[in-house]
Amino acid sequence: MHSLTQEIRSFSRANLRKQRTRVTTLTGRRIIETWRGACLHMEEEEEAAPGGGFVPDLSADLQVGVVKPWLLLGSQDAAHDLETMRRHKVT
């Protein structure tokens, strides 16, 4: 069984998938963010979003990711929800 320390030491950026993130501003402007080397590259998307920007989502985020059986990842909404904590056996 590998320890978490061993897994962290064996981490390689080369194994990560390439990601693109689309950011929509309040005004509806769309920006594409990508990493090239060690730098963040940003370019504006050619078509603006119709009807302006985004609508904030104020609903509770109760999603919990199980990284390892003893290591969970989630939002503060999930951390404050007792039923979610019980379901994942957090004590």
Side-chain angles (χ1 to χ4, degrees):
M1 179 180 202
H2 291 291
S3 72
L4 181 59
T5 305
Q6 289 171 323
E7 289 193 34
I8 291 171
R9 286 186 181 142
S10 67
F11 170 78
S12 170
R13 287 185 81 169
N15 293 338
L16 295 175
R17 288 182 291 150
K18 302 294 180 198
Q19 291 291 343
R20 294 176 45 161
T21 304
R22 178 185 296 145
V23 178
T24 305
T25 66
L26 285 170
T27 61
R29 189 172 143 226
R30 289 186 178 174
I31 301 167
I32 305 295
E33 296 179 345
T34 54
W35 281 96
R36 293 190 184 155
C39 298
L40 179 64
H41 178 74
M42 297 180 355
E43 62 185 53
E44 192 162 344
E45 202 171 60
E46 294 173 16
E47 284 187 32
F54 62 90
V55 176
D57 181 3
L58 302 176
S59 61
D61 177 13
L62 301 178
Q63 296 291 320
V64 175
V66 179
V67 179
K68 294 284 184 182
W70 40 264
L71 180 61
L72 305 175
L73 184 64
S75 70
Q76 67 183 13
D77 293 336
H80 283 95
D81 186 63
L82 292 177
E83 183 55 39
T84 300
M85 295 293 98
R86 282 190 195 106
R87 188 171 53 245
H88 290 282
K89 299 180 175 87
V90 174
T91 59

